[in-house]
Amino acid sequence: MAETEAALRTLAHNVRAARTRAGLSLDELGRRAKVSKGALVGLERAQGNPNFATLVRLADTLGISVSALMEGPAEGRVRVVSADAVMPLWAGEKGGEARLMLTTSGPSPVEVWRWKLEPGEEYPSHPHQSGVVETVSVTAGEMVLVVDGIEHAVQAGQTATFDGDAPHTYRGSGAETCHLIMTVHIPPGPGSAN
């Protein structure tokens, strides 16, 4: 329980700091991210339990990575992250999950995700901000990547890339569990040096 409370306090601090840096009021951030002002007030007070979609919308609106909202200060030059040390940010109805392993630092961060999709299980994602590029590398099984309504089969050993500003869905296919590594390349945020 103490870990959850500490994570909520870190999230509250990071959302408030990013909102302040962006010069946005609670009302304006809520309007742009499609999150109620009450939910934002609670979030900035370390109350509530925001879902994955809310975190993605806030990060996109603030021009930062999801993990920038969730991580404390960097601990050193090298970080080694074990999958079992990271809680899933999404859990599917059939046992699938998505874990945000880490985000690189710098003006154009990259999020590294581990996904598991069971056959027939899917995660529909809303479009990200312009300039976001995603890659999916399937390490086992197979999936269907749907971008702008067009289906693309991606099998073990294959990697696909696409602009994340279009509607997209990840769907497990075939007879076995699909494991994939996804990277989300985030463009420089406001005030970043290019």
Side-chain angles (χ1 to χ4, degrees), residues 9-188:
R9 284 193 304 274
T10 298
L11 177 63
H13 173 268
N14 292 344
V15 168
R16 190 172 36 258
R19 180 178 62 78
T20 301
R21 276 192 310 275
L24 297 175
S25 67
L26 285 167
D27 286 325
E28 185 60 16
L29 176 58
R31 185 186 67 73
R32 291 183 186 184
K34 297 179 180 144
V35 176
S36 74
K37 181 178 178 181
L40 286 174
V41 168
L43 185 61
E44 288 194 4
R45 291 182 179 165
Q47 300 168 344
N49 186 16
N51 66 30
F52 178 52
T54 298
L55 294 176
V56 170
R57 286 195 310 272
L58 286 171
D60 281 348
T61 301
L62 293 166
I64 60 177
S65 67
V66 172
S67 63
L69 290 177
M70 302 178 66
E71 291 180 345
E75 296 177 12
R77 292 182 70 143
V78 176
R79 280 189 300 163
V80 177
V81 181
S82 174
D84 60 357
V86 179
M87 292 186 56
L89 289 178
W90 172 79
E93 293 180 4
K94 297 180 179 182
E97 62 183 29
R99 295 174 189 257
L100 177 57
M101 299 304 296
L102 61 86
T103 302
T104 62
S105 59
S108 299
V110 176
E111 297 176 346
V112 179
W113 293 80
R114 279 185 186 256
W115 282 76
K116 178 174 79 167
L117 294 167
E118 297 300 329
E121 187 171 50
E122 67 178 39
Y123 176 79
S125 178
H126 76 286
H128 300 291
Q129 66 181 342
S130 180
V132 169
V133 175
E134 292 192 23
T135 64
V136 290
S137 296
V138 176
T139 59
E142 55 189 275
M143 70 174 289
V144 173
L145 171 65
V146 183
V147 179
D148 255 346
I150 300 171
E151 294 188 356
H152 307 272
V154 187
Q155 299 177 359
Q158 294 183 319
T159 299
T161 187
F162 62 97
D163 293 333
D165 61 355
H168 50 283
T169 299
Y170 320 107
R171 181 184 316 129
S173 63
E176 63 183 75
T177 302
C178 176
H179 293 271
L180 63 106
I181 303 295
M182 176 183 22
T183 59
V184 180
H185 303 259
I186 301 165

